[in-house]
Amino acid sequence: AMDARRVEFRGDDPVRSLNDYVNEVEGKEEQKQVVGYTRYWHGYLIPLKLLLLFFDYGDIRFLNLFIQFFLTGWIMILMVEKGRKRLLLPFAVLICVLNPVAEAMSLQFSSVYYITLLSLLVILRREKMAGYAVRFFFCIGMMTSFLDLLTYPLLTLGVPLALMFLLSEGRMEEKLLLLVKACCAWGVGYAGMWGCKWLIASVLLQRNIFSDAYQQALLRSSMQSDGSALRWGEVIWRNVRVLLRWPYLFLTAAAGIILLKKIWSAGLKGRVRRAFLFGIPFFLIALMPFAWFCVLGNHSYQHYWFTYRELGITCFVLLVYLAELPHFLKNET
């Protein structure tokens, strides 16, 4: 479990190696080698191996689809029951950005998706988070580190964080302090859990796992790719460009027009400053993915085809702000 070994054949890419190994292709015995993948916990293997005792890969994909569909519907029902029907549109856009078809079909992407959905369910059912928000986000960070393979982990922080802020009570200063504490708790849980893997693996395997992890951390946080220097703008643009497709643009434009119309009806004149101050926490959360792309420049540039999902935070949070603003302005009158 600490070594997470897999079989590869020298000179072949991992997909070809896996295919040849599973199908017992002859004549490649001399090329066979066992490779360890020690940096990650690979916690997803626990439910996966249990499921493979009873189901095949296709069955698990359909099971994924059913469970994710059920959890999504449950969240929407709770939003309506809690008087937050206006959050349905931002949540629907979030699901579209994440691509629910890919989430159901890809076991690798499912971990972050499940953690996010379950976190939203907990927040909606409890609402008053101030008393246990730090412990809650600490656990979310640990679960993300344990189950995820560095796909789009920040989603488990940004989306629940926005909902918690919206549903929490108290003065703005108290709510902002709660956001900071929750972010720190998630970060400590995420980084601390990951560091524990390197420590335990180093002790049990009698190898310096910290050295390998440190070298990979330097690589993934660098602004280099295939020997070429990267610019932050390139990294961000490569991720944003994934969403620059007509269906996404039409969906976002339609959602924005609907919400802006409601804001106009609520009356923004003379209250722009109040509207801006109300939006500051949402704006800060919306910027998280861009900070993540800059910190993990190499990783975000090379794996843009799944790291772009971090932008689901930005889409969700900004639409939540627009959805809540009319309600806020009416309460100000």
Side-chain angles (χ1 to χ4, degrees):
M2 290 296 103
D3 211 5
R5 300 187 182 107
R6 69 181 187 276
V7 171
E8 285 189 358
F9 296 107
R10 288 188 297 273
D12 287 348
D13 63 81
V15 176
R16 178 65 180 272
S17 291
L18 177 61
N19 179 73
D20 291 350
Y21 177 66
V22 169
N23 292 288
E24 299 180 346
V25 174
E26 297 181 356
K28 306 194 71 171
E29 288 77 11
E30 293 183 359
Q31 299 174 321
K32 183 177 177 180
Q33 59 184 2
V34 178
V35 180
Y37 202 178
T38 55
R39 295 189 301 276
Y40 298 95
W41 276 104
H42 299 282
Y44 57 85
L45 289 175
I46 296 175
L48 177 58
K49 288 189 174 185
L50 289 172
L51 288 170
L52 285 171
L53 292 174
F54 308 99
F55 308 111
D56 65 19
Y57 188 43
D59 293 333
I60 295 173
R61 282 177 149 183
F62 278 107
L63 185 63
N64 247 355
L65 177 65
F66 298 153
I67 296 175
Q68 290 171 11
F69 182 80
F70 170 76
L71 291 176
T72 302
W74 192 3
I75 290 172
M76 289 182 166
I77 291 171
L78 284 177
M79 285 178 174
V80 175
E81 289 181 351
K82 300 294 183 180
R84 298 284 176 171
K85 187 166 62 174
R86 52 187 174 273
L87 296 180
L88 292 176
L89 183 57
F91 182 64
V93 172
L94 169 65
I95 299 300
C96 291
V97 168
L98 297 179
N99 191 344
V101 177
E103 297 291 349
M105 295 296 102
S106 172
L107 306 186
Q108 185 179 5
F109 295 159
S110 297
S111 299
V112 167
Y113 196 48
Y114 278 126
I115 295 171
T116 303
L117 293 178
L118 292 172
S119 300
L120 294 179
L121 278 174
V122 171
I123 294 171
L124 284 168
R125 287 182 64 85
R126 294 293 297 268
E127 285 198 17
K128 296 182 179 180
M129 293 283 297
Y132 66 103
V134 172
R135 285 170 291 171
F136 179 68
F137 278 91
F138 179 76
C139 291
I140 292 176
M142 291 179 65
M143 289 175 59
T144 305
S145 181
F146 183 71
L147 295 172
D148 182 44
L149 203 62
L150 197 58
T151 53
Y152 51 107
L154 199 66
L155 195 85
T156 65
L157 171 63
V159 173
L161 194 67
L163 187 62
M164 182 199 70
F165 172 79
L166 190 63
L167 298 181
S168 59
E169 300 175 350
R171 295 178 302 166
M172 179 63 74
E173 295 81 4
E174 295 172 343
K175 295 170 70 172
L176 287 173
L177 180 60
L178 186 62
L179 287 187
V180 173
K181 289 181 178 179
C183 288
C184 293
W186 186 93
V188 171
Y190 185 78
M193 187 69 177
W194 211 341
C196 285
K197 173 59 165 67
W198 307 337
L199 176 62
I200 297 171
S202 295
V203 172
L204 294 180
L205 300 176
Q206 295 297 297
R207 299 203 311 266
N208 186 358
I209 307 303
F210 280 91
S211 177
D212 174 56
Y214 177 70
Q215 293 300 321
Q216 283 297 314
L218 289 179
L219 171 64
R220 293 310 185 185
S221 61
S222 71
M223 293 301 288
Q224 298 280 333
S225 178
D226 299 326
S228 301
L230 299 173
R231 293 190 297 271
W232 288 340
E234 289 180 291
V235 178
I236 293 172
W237 173 247
R238 203 172 201 203
N239 283 267
V240 171
R241 192 173 58 183
V242 178
L243 296 177
L244 294 182
R245 298 180 180 274
W246 286 114
Y248 282 123
L249 294 175
F250 285 139
L251 175 65
T252 306
I257 290 171
I258 292 171
L259 296 176
L260 287 172
K261 186 178 179 181
K262 292 183 178 181
I263 294 172
W264 184 265
S265 301
L268 190 59
K269 186 177 180 180
R271 288 180 286 179
V272 174
R273 183 174 178 275
R274 292 289 299 167
F276 177 76
L277 292 176
F278 172 69
I280 287 177
F282 296 100
F283 302 150
L284 293 175
I285 297 173
L287 290 174
M288 283 181 176
F290 301 99
W292 182 271
F293 294 151
C294 292
V295 171
L296 293 176
N298 171 275
H299 182 265
S300 300
Y301 184 82
Q302 291 189 345
H303 301 295
Y304 69 95
W305 48 277
F306 59 76
T307 61
Y308 84 90
R309 286 179 170 83
E310 304 282 18
L311 293 170
I313 298 171
T314 305
C315 297
F316 176 72
V317 170
L318 292 180
L319 289 175
V320 166
Y321 166 67
L322 293 177
E324 288 292 325
L325 187 55
H327 181 72
F328 172 77
L329 293 175
K330 286 180 181 178
N331 289 341
E332 286 290 299
T333 57

